[in-house]
Amino acid sequence: AELPISGDPLSEIILDLVFPKGNPYFTLNGKMLQLLSPLDRDKDNLSHIVFQLTCTVKSTNKKRTIPVIVRVVDVNDNAPVFVSTPYNTTISELVPVGTTIFRGLKAVDQDAGVNSLVEYTIVSGDGRGLGTDQGVGRNRVTVADGADFFAINLPHQGQVTVSRGLDYEKTQRYLVTILATDRARNESERFTTTTTLTVNVKDDDDQDPSFIYRGCMSVDGACVNPEYHATVSSGVVAGILSISPEKIQAVDMDTNNSPIAYSFLSGSPGSFRDYFEINPTTGAVRQTKSVDTSVTKKFEIIVKAEENSPSRRFATAKLSVLVRPVDVNPPVIVASATDGLVSENAPVGTKILDDEGNPLQLRVSDPDLGPDDPKPSYDFEVTTNFFHIDEEGYLVVGEENLDRDPPSPGKFRFQVVARESHGTAASAPVTFTVALIDVNDNAPHLPMIPPITIQAGEGRRQVVKVEATD
């Protein structure tokens, strides 16, 4: 910039700069002010520079001092910088949507004016650090991107709020990527920086307890419609019931691991409490009084498993207790036939036929049961793997490649026993014989013949006899 001074600095006047507060920032080239080095308004806090210009008239030697103020205009050349990092917070999984969970975001920008203003937004992260770590059981931590679960509704304040419901059982930690942007008037000149807010989710009592046993259908780890079975004999006090598929047991699905108390919620007939009681701590069910089939043939009891916690969350299961008549006679297998036929190489599941070509079928009866008594289910135990009993009671092929030809046996003898699925009663074994029907599945076999020497001649004569076997 040229100074507004009259006179020629080469012949008429002498100009000089005086910097009373430090090193000089400018030099003179004639009447022109020139920077000695680049200025950093932000680092040196230079909003303006004050110095003096002395002007001496050569002809009169008169001297005048003129104050000069140079205002330094800010340029957006600094990105925001987050302070007091790293950012961490811990919240309950039950925190309502819209709740502010973190107020400590702060980024500073060394620029001045509008260039120093900062706005905050949440963006998707780069994917690093997400997934499930190598912990075991309740120590396993699943980490997810928090962009869809948290929001900053007032960008200039930077307060982080919950935008979606949280579930500790699914995700225990969120990584929230925060973007800080300055407010330079020209958007193309704006600077940004990012940081990560780690949100640890604390488990709270929001899950009902769940009954647990192998084979129960589960949703999100909780057993759905759990059912237990037991059998008692008429006129007998069984004591602790043998319950299937496993003993009654429930667990708190939250990490609070609250103790579980067991009780009977309801049941039918209404007199069930006169005959059974449940241990509130172990869940063991005890028969306290004998029952006759004239009272009922089946009890259906709803078992309640309740957390010992302020929320008193609970789950229920159905316990069915079958009352059997006095067990004098074992179950009996009734078979349509005990001798059967099937083709060799028949596929698995092929039904065994009797001599008249009808499928060989088994059913079970129990002389102790009357026509109105509930029929127990039975499992068939077969002493061979080549055959088994299907769900409809038919004897079928159980393995592939049944072979009638030597050295394989052409006939199978085995035994079948019927045993109660939810009890101990078993039938006497019944012996079955299944013969394999030959199928033309082998080619004839010719023996190896050694070389033969014969005398020359024209007469017909036997040289060797070839016999094939099948």
Side-chain angles (χ1 to χ4, degrees):
E2 183 173 312
L3 297 173
I5 303 294
S6 299
D8 186 351
L10 297 178
S11 59
E12 299 176 343
I13 58 176
I14 299 173
L15 299 177
D16 197 11
L17 299 178
V18 178
F19 293 88
K21 292 187 177 181
N23 296 327
Y25 290 96
F26 303 97
T27 187
L28 282 171
N29 182 7
K31 295 182 182 181
M32 299 290 292
L33 276 178
Q34 291 183 338
L35 270 174
L36 291 174
S37 61
L39 298 177
D40 190 340
R41 183 188 189 281
D42 312 307
K43 179 180 178 181
D44 300 327
N45 195 24
L46 288 176
S47 60
H48 58 277
I49 301 172
V50 179
F51 57 95
Q52 295 175 347
L53 171 67
T54 61
C55 179
T56 304
V57 180
K58 291 183 178 182
S59 60
T60 62
N61 209 27
K62 288 185 177 180
K63 183 177 181 180
R64 184 177 179 183
T65 300
I66 304 169
V68 180
I69 300 175
V70 177
R71 186 166 62 89
V72 181
V73 178
D74 183 52
V75 174
N76 189 33
D77 59 350
N78 291 285
V81 177
F82 283 98
V83 297
S84 302
T85 58
Y87 298 131
N88 296 276
T89 189
T90 299
I91 60 175
S92 167
E93 64 175 328
L94 300 182
V95 63
V97 172
T99 302
T100 299
I101 55 106
F102 193 75
R103 304 175 186 269
L105 288 179
K106 184 178 181 182
V108 296
D109 192 319
Q110 292 184 352
D111 293 312
V114 68
N115 295 333
S116 68
L117 300 179
V118 178
E119 288 188 346
Y120 306 91
T121 53
I122 292 177
V123 296
S124 297
D126 57 11
R128 290 183 295 180
L130 305 183
T132 302
D133 67 10
Q134 299 302 313
V136 177
R138 296 181 185 270
N139 295 323
R140 181 172 296 173
V141 176
T142 299
V143 184
D145 193 314
D148 295 332
F149 292 85
F150 302 92
I152 295 178
N153 298 320
L154 300 174
H156 63 286
Q157 292 185 0
Q159 297 180 358
V160 181
T161 62
V162 178
S163 60
R164 285 177 58 184
L166 307 177
D167 187 351
Y168 174 88
E169 281 66 37
K170 293 182 178 178
T171 305
Q172 295 81 47
R173 181 176 298 152
Y174 291 94
L175 300 183
V176 185
T177 302
I178 311 294
L179 179 72
T181 307
D182 63 33
R183 294 293 299 159
R185 288 184 173 85
N186 189 344
E187 291 189 12
S188 63
E189 297 178 354
R190 292 178 180 176
F191 286 91
T192 63
T193 189
T194 60
T195 191
T196 299
L197 167 63
T198 301
V199 180
N200 295 301
V201 181
K202 183 178 63 175
D203 191 23
D204 220 321
D205 194 5
D206 66 333
Q207 300 287 317
D208 293 334
S210 172
F211 289 89
I212 54 172
Y213 60 82
R214 184 176 300 176
C216 183
M217 184 180 69
S218 63
V219 176
D220 293 333
C223 184
V224 179
N225 299 326
E227 293 188 8
Y228 296 91
H229 304 274
T231 302
V232 297
S233 296
S234 177
V236 178
V237 178
I240 299 294
L241 300 189
S242 176
I243 294 177
S244 61
E246 296 178 16
K247 68 176 183 178
I248 294 176
Q249 184 179 9
V251 295
D252 183 0
M253 296 299 288
D254 295 301
T255 58
N256 303 331
N257 204 22
S258 300
I260 303 296
Y262 302 93
S263 62
F264 290 147
L265 185 63
S266 61
S268 64
S271 59
F272 72 94
R273 296 182 191 274
D274 296 337
Y275 302 95
F276 303 99
E277 64 181 17
I278 187 168
N279 187 301
T281 303
T282 65
V285 178
R286 177 187 295 274
Q287 184 182 4
T288 58
K289 180 181 177 182
S290 64
V291 60
D292 191 83
T293 52
S294 61
V295 175
T296 184
K297 294 180 174 60
K298 186 178 183 181
F299 289 94
E300 289 194 346
I301 304 172
I302 303 301
V303 178
K304 178 181 179 182
E306 184 178 53
E307 294 178 3
N308 186 9
S309 65
S311 60
R312 314 299 294 181
R313 290 183 173 273
F314 68 91
T316 59
K318 184 171 75 172
L319 169 62
S320 298
V321 182
L322 183 67
V323 181
R324 295 186 307 184
V326 177
D327 195 2
V328 176
N329 301 290
V332 176
I333 294 178
V334 179
S336 59
T338 56
D339 294 325
L341 301 169
V342 69
S343 297
E344 62 174 331
N345 298 323
V348 172
T350 301
K351 294 178 180 178
I352 311 303
L353 305 180
D354 60 18
D355 292 337
E356 298 180 358
N358 298 315
L360 198 155
Q361 188 176 23
L362 289 71
R363 60 182 180 85
V364 181
S365 64
D366 191 332
D368 295 325
L369 300 178
D372 297 329
D373 291 328
K375 302 298 187 291
S377 59
Y378 296 92
D379 297 323
F380 290 100
E381 300 173 359
V382 185
T383 59
T384 178
N385 293 327
F386 291 103
F387 304 94
H388 70 264
I389 314 300
D390 68 10
E391 294 181 354
E392 297 179 350
Y394 290 104
L395 181 62
V396 298
V397 175
E399 287 192 358
E400 297 179 349
N401 302 321
L402 290 178
D403 193 357
R404 178 186 181 279
D405 308 309
S408 300
K411 185 178 293 186
F412 292 87
R413 291 176 61 85
F414 53 90
Q415 292 183 325
V416 177
V417 172
R419 192 180 303 277
E420 287 186 1
S421 302
H422 304 295
T424 59
S427 70
V430 177
T431 301
F432 291 85
T433 302
V434 176
L436 300 184
I437 302 172
D438 186 37
V439 174
N440 188 22
D441 58 349
N442 293 286
H445 176 70
L446 288 170
M448 294 294 295
I449 300 175
I452 300 172
T453 302
I454 61 175
Q455 295 292 329
E458 296 181 356
R460 177 179 294 183
R461 56 196 185 277
Q462 179 173 317
V463 176
V464 68
K465 184 178 182 180
V466 179
E467 292 184 352
T469 59
D470 188 334

